[in-house]
Amino acid sequence: MLEIYNSLSRYKETFKPLHEGHVGMYVCGPTVYGDAHLGHARPAITFDLLYRYLMHLGYKVRYVRNITDVGHLEHDADEGEDKIAKKARLEQLEPMEVVQFYTNRYHRDMAALNVLPPSIEPHASGHIIEQIAFVQKILDKGYAYVSNGSVYMDVEKYAKDFPYGKLSGRNLNDIVTETRELDGQDEKKHSYDFALWKKAAPEHIMHWPSPWSEGFPGWHMECSTMGTKYLGERFDIHGGGLDLIFPHHEAEIAQSCAALGHETVHYWMHNNMITIAGKKMGKSYNNFITLEQFFSGNHPLLSKPFGPMVIRFFILQAHYRSTVDFSSDALEAAEKGLQRMQEAYARLQKLQPIANSQQPIAELVTSLRARCQEAMDDDLNTPFVIAALFDSTRAINTVWDGKGTISEADLKELREVWKTYAIDILGLRLEADDNANANAKAFSGAIDLLLGIRLQAKQNKDWATSDKIRNELTALGFQIKDTKDGFEWSI
Ligand code: ZN
C-alpha cells in the first residue's frame, strides 16, 4: 500500500483516492520569466516520479501543472511589479512573447530531464474569467472586501470561521510580525490580507476588465481556480516546493474554503529545497545556475558539464523531503553512480542464462522487486530503490565475470525489475547515453582515420589528396591544426 506524507496532517497516510482507480493531482508550475534552474528541476522530478508511480500502480491519473504568466508580483508575491511585465519592459517585448519564450525553454529542459508532460498545462492568463468568478464567490460569502478597485481576502473574518495557518503551522500573530509594511497597504484592513484582484496601475501593461477595476488576479487565485476547474471541488493531491507552503498554499486553502465552504485537497505534498554550499539559491547570492548552464558546464561553480540524467539521478538519490546540497563534487559522485548503473544495465542486456542461479544471486533476484516496491510505497523512498538496484549490480557483475550463473527465469525477472523501476519509475535513461557515447566514438574515429590518410598523403607528397581532405573537412566546419606529432581537430 502506498503511504505518502501529508503536509497537512504531518503524518504518513495510506493513499486512498477519492474516486476508485482515478487520481487527480495538481502541482504548482513555474512563473515563466527566466530559465529553469535546479530549484525548478526538483519539484518537476519529484512529482514526475509520483505521476509515474501512480500510473505503475494502475491508476488513471489526471496531472495538472500550471504555467504562471500573470499576477506573480515581485515582493511577497502580491506587491510590486509583475515579474513577467518587468521582463517584458526590460527586453522591450510583448509580455506574451516573454511567456512563450520561457515556456518553450522550460519544456525543452523538462524533456531533457525525462520529465513527462502533464495531462493539462493551463495558463493563468487563459483563465481570467474563471478567476473573476472565483473572487466573486468569495465576496458573496463575505470573506473579501473591495478597496480602491482591488479585492482583498478578509483574513481576520475568515480566521473566525476556518483555521487559517494550519498548513504552515502559523497563527495570525506570527503572520502579523512577518508581514512587511509596504506601499499600498493602506488599501488593506490588515497587513496579512492578501490580494484576490489588483487594480492595475497606469503603467501596468497586463490588465483585464472586471466588476471592480481594470486589473489582474492575485497570484494565489490561479491555482484555486484551475485546480477546481480541471480536478473538481475535491481532489486527491496538491504538490509543490516547500517554499510555497506560505503564503501561496495557505492562501489557496483559504480561498477555496471561503468560496466553497470546504477543503478541496486531500493530500498536500511538498518537496524540500536545494541549497548551494549551504545557501539558498538566488540571484542575490550569485549562485543561480540554470539547467542549460549545467548541461553546458558554462558557470564558474561547475567543474565540467553535467548531463540531464546526472541531474535527475542526483535529485533522486535524496528522499524528496530531505534537503539537497549542491556542489560540483556531489554531482561528480552522482555521475559515477549513474555510470555504474548504466554499465550494469548494458551488461544485464547481454548476459546469457545457464542452468540454475547460484547463491547469493538467486536470493538477490528474488527479493529485488519487493524491496523496490516497499521503498516506493514508503513515501517514495528513492534512495532505497537505488540502493536495492545497486545491490543487484553485484549479481549482474558476478555473472558477467563468469563467477556465478543465473537461470533464464531469474534473468528475465532481473531485466523486468530494472525496466520497471530504473527506466519506467525513476525515469532514468540508461541506454541513451550508451548510444550517444558509441556514436561519438565512431564519429571521432572516422575523422581520425581521414586525417591519418591525409598525413600519409602529405608524407607521399600527394598534395591533391591531402588538400582535398583538408578543404572539404574545413568546409564542413572542422578546424584542423597540424602539430609536430600529427594533427589536432575540433568543430
Ligand atoms: Zn500554485
Side-chain angles (χ1 to χ4, degrees), residues 31 68-74 77-79 81-84 124 198 204 206 208 216-220 222:
T31 303
T68 297
D69 59 356
V70 66
H72 193 175
L73 306 191
E74 288 218 290
D78 81 347
E79 292 294 340
E81 195 173 359
D82 183 289
K83 291 186 176 188
I84 310 269
K198 292 275 274 189
H204 198 100
M206 298 169 83
W208 291 263
F216 54 93
W219 174 40
H220 317 307
E222 62 178 284

Side-chain angles (χ1 to χ4, degrees), residues 140-186:
D140 293 346
K141 295 277 168 75
Y143 294 112
Y145 57 90
V146 182
S147 173
N148 189 29
S150 292
V151 185
Y152 292 99
M153 186 79 185
D154 190 339
V155 170
E156 195 169 83
K157 172 123 192 266
Y158 173 82
K160 287 198 177 102
D161 298 335
F162 297 92
Y164 184 66
K166 65 184 198 173
L167 182 66
S168 58
R170 285 167 164 83
N171 61 41
L172 274 191
N173 285 334
D174 300 337
I175 296 166
V176 172
T177 48
E178 276 175 28
T179 315
R180 299 194 330 192
E181 296 291 325
L182 284 162
D183 296 344
Q185 198 147 277
D186 46 340

Side-chain angles (χ1 to χ4, degrees), residues 372-424:
C372 290
Q373 175 159 357
E374 272 165 31
M376 281 305 293
D377 279 348
D378 182 17
D379 195 27
L380 315 180
N381 195 337
T382 51
F384 276 40
V385 178
I386 291 170
L389 290 170
F390 269 134
D391 283 348
S392 77
T393 62
R394 288 210 313 271
I396 295 169
N397 292 334
T398 306
V399 180
W400 180 259
D401 294 337
K403 293 177 182 150
T405 60
I406 189 164
S407 70
E408 193 168 346
D410 279 353
L411 183 58
K412 184 165 175 273
E413 169 69 0
L414 198 53
R415 283 180 181 151
E416 275 179 18
V417 176
W418 270 72
K419 164 83 169 66
T420 302
Y421 283 90
I423 308 282
D424 296 345

Side-chain angles (χ1 to χ4, degrees), residues 26-29 66 68 219-220 222-224 238-239 244 248-249 252:
Y26 186 95
V27 172
C28 294
N66 68 306
T68 297
W219 174 40
H220 317 307
E222 62 178 284
C223 292
S224 286
H238 192 316
L244 294 180
H248 187 54
H249 290 163
E252 268 190 57

Side-chain angles (χ1 to χ4, degrees), residues 21 42 151-152 166 173 186 207 241 254 258 261 267 281 284 307 318 320 327 331 389 401 405 426 431:
R42 196 165 192 201
V151 185
Y152 292 99
K166 65 184 198 173
N173 285 334
D186 46 340
H207 49 81
Y267 304 92
M281 265 188 304
S284 52
Y320 75 91
S327 68
L331 270 191
L389 290 170
D401 294 337
T405 60
L426 297 183
E431 68 280 74

Side-chain angles (χ1 to χ4, degrees), residues 325-352:
D325 193 43
F326 157 82
S327 68
S328 228
D329 288 349
L331 270 191
E332 282 185 34
E335 187 169 44
K336 287 205 180 83
L338 180 66
Q339 279 164 358
R340 270 171 63 205
M341 284 193 88
Q342 284 168 332
E343 187 185 65
Y345 185 76
R347 287 178 172 181
L348 180 59
Q349 308 316 313
K350 293 175 198 152
L351 288 187
Q352 294 295 329

